[in-house]
Amino acid sequence: MPGKLKKRSSKKRTMRALSLSKFKKLVVPRPDVLHGYLRHDEINLYLEYLQNRYSFVHVKLLGQTYERRQLKAIEIDWNSERNLELTERERSRRPYSCAEKITALVPPEISNMHNKLLGRRNTIFIEGGTHAREWITISVALNCIYQLTEKHMRNYELLRKLRFIIVPVTNPDGYEYTLTKNRRWRKNRRPITHSRHIGTDCNRNYDFHWENGPSKTARNTFKGLKPFSEPETRAMRNILQQNEQSLLFFLSLHSYAECIMYPWGYCKELPETWQKLEKLALTGRNAIKAYNGRHYRVGSIAKLSKRCISGSVVDYAFGVIKVPLALVMELPSHALGFQPAAESISPIGHESWFGIREMCKVAYDLATPFFSMEEGNLTNRKNSDKEQPQPQSPIIKKQSLHDVVRPTIDTVAL
């Protein structure tokens, strides 16, 4: 009998060891995103880790670069169907506390339906790493991802209202080149046709006043042979076009001028809604100043940079995609350079998130709900109908939003 017991226990141990080894293969390790500069593969590994862990996270493959690196975006959507189903299951398994009963009166799906009925834009788009040497922009983008996922309970109210799409590394080839060969490299790594030079400035390659940009292939700001000649800018164009109806706020991260800027970059004129844009930029500036005293300058791109910048992603997002709010955030600082020391990464990331979070909150209330062309035509038709007398028709009482939502709220409350 003792021999049989020993054999059984040894079999159980081996089975446990095998199951653990299989489980370990499925577990994706978590890289340290807050205190160091990661390689491109490590960043994609972190995005995969978050997708495996959280039901409201989805990683999208946008395309491939010239050197066949994957360009990825992370979508953080608390109101996604998958997450709502899982949270509803979790609610049904355990009894409500008093606090949960109050929040359950207006669950996330009702808030989401409210946004749809109003036609409100609710997507925040953040991109970093367009210029290869600006490592700190990638770290700040990763800090934003960290705050919205691993620290999502701190930002729950923000996630209930807003959906986030973040591209942490827009120029993977150039970024990897700066890590291994030349820390000062700015452009991507695709060779220029009929030239001995390599690379195009991705922030000059968008089809918005592109023809006004510099055309010398040797320059750091070379705009490319034609608009969207680069795989990185085509990938960005595609995801912006796919989400153009829901985009509320576009934020492009750069360094190291320590300012928050709004369009236009291609000329010194200001857009019609410049006051809204300035109010949003001042919100971020004031939040960071209150957090640690750092002072950001605020103004238009052309004014603060003292030059005209054609074919930029911010001008394209604002002028072509028609995102209501679009800003450039130039991170700190001249003293620290494009690649601040490791001990500065976390402080800069946290202070930047403090400003970005406040801008996202204000953006939701600042941009008025948009209406489709059909609704606009209907309004024009109504105005023209008012001018001409029409025969009387029976009065039809329209159902208010409160009446639409109230039955669902009552059901949840019970």
Side-chain angles (χ1 to χ4, degrees), residues 197-311:
H197 297 290
I198 292 174
T200 296
D201 185 347
C202 293
N203 203 38
R204 302 291 187 276
N205 192 238
Y206 290 85
D207 193 9
F208 188 76
H209 294 273
W210 172 87
E211 61 281 355
N212 299 332
S215 58
K216 291 182 180 179
T217 55
R219 293 185 67 173
N220 261 343
T221 54
F222 175 59
K223 64 180 180 178
L225 298 176
K226 62 180 180 179
F228 299 118
S229 60
E230 308 310 305
E232 295 88 353
T233 55
R234 289 197 298 271
M236 287 289 289
R237 174 197 63 191
N238 294 342
I239 191 171
L240 287 171
Q241 288 178 349
Q242 288 164 16
N243 293 277
E244 63 181 335
Q245 295 300 318
S246 65
L247 286 172
L248 167 67
F249 174 31
F250 181 90
L251 181 65
S252 182
L253 299 172
H254 290 266
S255 69
Y256 48 77
E258 215 164 286
C259 56
I260 303 175
M261 304 181 287
Y262 48 83
W264 300 110
Y266 79 94
C267 70
K268 291 184 179 179
E269 293 178 8
L270 295 176
E272 291 181 4
T273 57
W274 71 270
Q275 290 176 320
K276 272 188 179 181
L277 297 168
E278 186 166 76
K279 183 178 180 181
L280 186 65
L282 288 170
T283 299
R285 192 272 303 269
N286 295 339
I288 293 170
K289 192 173 182 180
Y291 179 76
N292 66 354
R294 194 186 295 279
H295 179 76
Y296 274 69
R297 295 178 299 146
V298 168
S300 73
I301 299 168
K303 180 183 175 182
L304 291 187
S305 61
K306 296 180 181 179
R307 59 198 170 106
C308 292
I309 298 168
S310 300

Side-chain angles (χ1 to χ4, degrees), residues 60-78:
K60 294 183 175 183
L61 177 62
L62 305 184
Q64 279 193 338
T65 63
Y66 173 77
E67 294 179 352
R68 299 191 177 280
R69 290 188 175 89
Q70 291 185 332
L71 182 60
K72 290 186 176 182
I74 186 169
E75 180 184 342
I76 303 166
D77 186 6
W78 187 266

